[in-house]
Structures are given as structure tokens and as C-alpha cells.
Amino acid sequence: MLQLSNVESYYGGIQALKGVDIVVDEGEIVTLIGSNGAGKSTTLKSISGLVKIKAGSIVYKGMEISNKPAHETTLLGIAHVPEGRRIFPKLSVKENLRMGAFSVKDKQVVQERMERVFHYFPKLKDRIEQKGGTMSGGEQQMLAMGRALMLQPNLLMLDEPSMGLAPIIVEQIFEIIKELNREGITILLVEQNAYQALQIAHRGYVIQTGEIKLQGNGSDLIKNEEVREAYLA
């Protein structure tokens, strides 16, 4: 479904990605783990078009999407839930969700998609008129994911979905990620909670200072001594 080949990206004069190669097959959960500043978020932003790449290629479903504007990659079925959730704090839950279906004109279709979001996140239905900015961190993460699902994506990219959340909420979020995957959504997951991410991932990549250092099955990476020492201790 997705292939990054020798991708290089920069922030100002600093090279953030140094020849990154990643493959995501349809139906997989693939996780990208690494320390702060390793290039995890930049990888997702490069795919979605929020950061321009300087070299290499990004191919989605056989189509070159390198440096496509973010609104165009979204219309191709790539949904990006950014780090920090980035919901619209002054808009209600309903309005935030409708923003996720900005390209859909049929109100019935929008409503059907919203009901599907409520299936995964019942709390959002209870707070449908509440302003996003007044919700808890866990509820905001659910809203950010729900907004992405309104697109009905083929590829869902999640950037640090567990950040700042209580353990019980983290468990709920990861259960929902697994359920979404079982229902056919391919997932690319960036996560600092390496153990939790590798437990649910089919495959994983370890990125350090902008370079892929290790890759393998999730279960194999959990057992890898280098990974255990650096990320699971």
C-alpha cells in the first residue's frame, strides 16, 4: 500500500530524515519507534504532505505522492492524526467530526459515518455538543481519531496516540486500534510506548537520528536485546 524509498527531509537547515525506507502492506499495523527527535513525526508529515521531501520517493497504491499537498493526500484516503491531537478547541464534538468529512456533500453519508465513529467512541456521542477544548486528554484523543475516521481512510497514521493519557485510557485506545485494523484499515503507528506498540504491530521499524536501524516482526523486535535495552527498559 505504501512505500518510502530513500526519503530525505529537512527542518530548516537540519536534515531530519536520511534515506528512510519503509514498506506498509495492506491490512497491516506497522509501528515506527524511536527516541524524541529521531524522525518519527517527520516521517508521517512527509507522507501526508505537511513536510516537503528533498530526495527519494513516496508511493501510495502505486501512485507517486511525494510532496502532494496535504488536502490532496487526504482525499486519496490517507488520514493523519497528528501528535498533540490538534482538534478545533472552540468547535463542538459534532463540528469537529464534520470537519473530518469536509469533502463529503451528502448529509446522510456524513451522519452514517458519525454513527460509526460513535460505535468506536461512545463517549463522543454523550458529549456531541461539548466544545472540544473542554474535554479531557483521552476524550480529545478519541475525537482526533474519530475526526480522521470520518474520512473513511484506507491508511490511518497515528502519531503518539497514548501521549499524556492514563494507562486505562491507553488500553482502550490500543484496543480500538486493533479493532479498526481487524475491520480492514491499514495503520502506521508512531509511538513512544514501544512495548505497547510492538505488541499489536505486525511489523516494526526502529528509527534513530533520521535513519532506519532495525526492522522486523513486532514479536521479534520485542525480544531484540538492542531494542529492549534502548526502548523497553
Side-chain angles (χ1 to χ4, degrees):
M1 177 178 278
L2 179 73
Q3 182 165 8
L4 280 67
S5 302
N6 201 32
V7 170
E8 298 182 11
S9 296
Y10 288 76
Y11 270 126
I14 299 172
Q15 187 169 6
L17 299 182
K18 304 168 184 176
V20 165
D21 295 312
I22 289 174
V23 172
V24 180
D25 291 328
E26 189 166 357
E28 284 191 309
I29 299 176
V30 174
T31 189
L32 183 62
I33 64 172
S35 58
N36 282 334
K40 304 186 303 296
S41 294
T42 303
T43 300
L44 297 194
K45 289 177 181 178
S46 297
I47 295 165
S48 64
L50 294 172
V51 169
K52 289 192 177 296
I53 70 170
K54 298 294 186 182
S57 72
I58 302 173
V59 175
Y60 172 71
K61 289 189 167 185
M63 178 190 310
E64 178 72 47
I65 63 166
S66 302
N67 294 329
K68 268 189 179 296
H71 70 276
E72 290 187 20
T73 61
T74 299
L75 293 175
L76 293 173
I78 301 174
H80 182 181
V81 181
E83 182 181 353
R85 294 139 204 164
R86 302 293 180 90
I87 62 163
F88 299 102
K90 294 183 179 180
L91 299 185
S92 69
V93 166
K94 182 191 293 185
E95 291 166 333
N96 267 276
L97 292 177
R98 284 178 174 167
M99 291 295 286
F102 71 94
S103 62
V104 181
K105 306 305 179 190
D106 188 324
K107 290 182 180 179
Q108 180 62 32
V109 171
V110 172
Q111 187 59 39
E112 288 171 359
R113 292 187 183 183
M114 202 173 291
E115 289 300 326
R116 183 167 180 247
V117 169
F118 295 150
H119 162 73
Y120 297 115
F121 305 110
K123 278 190 176 181
L124 295 183
K125 190 168 189 176
D126 297 337
R127 289 161 172 64
I128 192 165
E129 300 298 340
Q130 187 172 336
K131 294 284 191 290
T134 66
M135 299 168 73
S136 70
E139 290 164 348
Q140 288 187 18
Q141 184 61 50
M142 293 174 187
L143 180 54
M145 290 175 66
R147 183 179 61 188
L149 292 175
M150 290 293 289
L151 177 68
Q152 280 203 332
N154 297 308
L155 175 63
L156 178 62
M157 302 195 301
L158 300 168
D159 194 347
E160 304 285 9
S162 76
M163 181 179 285
L165 303 184
I168 191 168
I169 303 298
V170 173
E171 291 287 343
Q172 291 174 12
I173 294 292
F174 275 83
E175 282 301 318
I176 290 165
I177 292 171
K178 289 193 290 185
E179 184 179 352
L180 292 170
N181 181 247
R182 285 194 296 268
E183 295 187 3
I185 298 177
T186 303
I187 292 170
L188 179 55
L189 171 65
V190 159
E191 181 56 64
Q192 274 206 293
N193 189 334
Y195 182 74
Q196 195 107 29
L198 290 171
Q199 274 195 314
I200 69 167
H202 298 97
R203 293 187 302 107
Y205 292 85
V206 178
I207 187 168
Q208 294 177 5
T209 57
E211 298 179 87
I212 301 297
K213 296 296 186 181
L214 288 168
Q215 59 178 294
N217 294 333
S219 57
D220 292 338
L221 288 174
I222 285 178
K223 298 170 188 172
N224 182 286
E225 280 303 319
E226 191 176 341
V227 173
R228 292 178 70 84
E229 186 175 326
Y231 305 108
L232 304 180

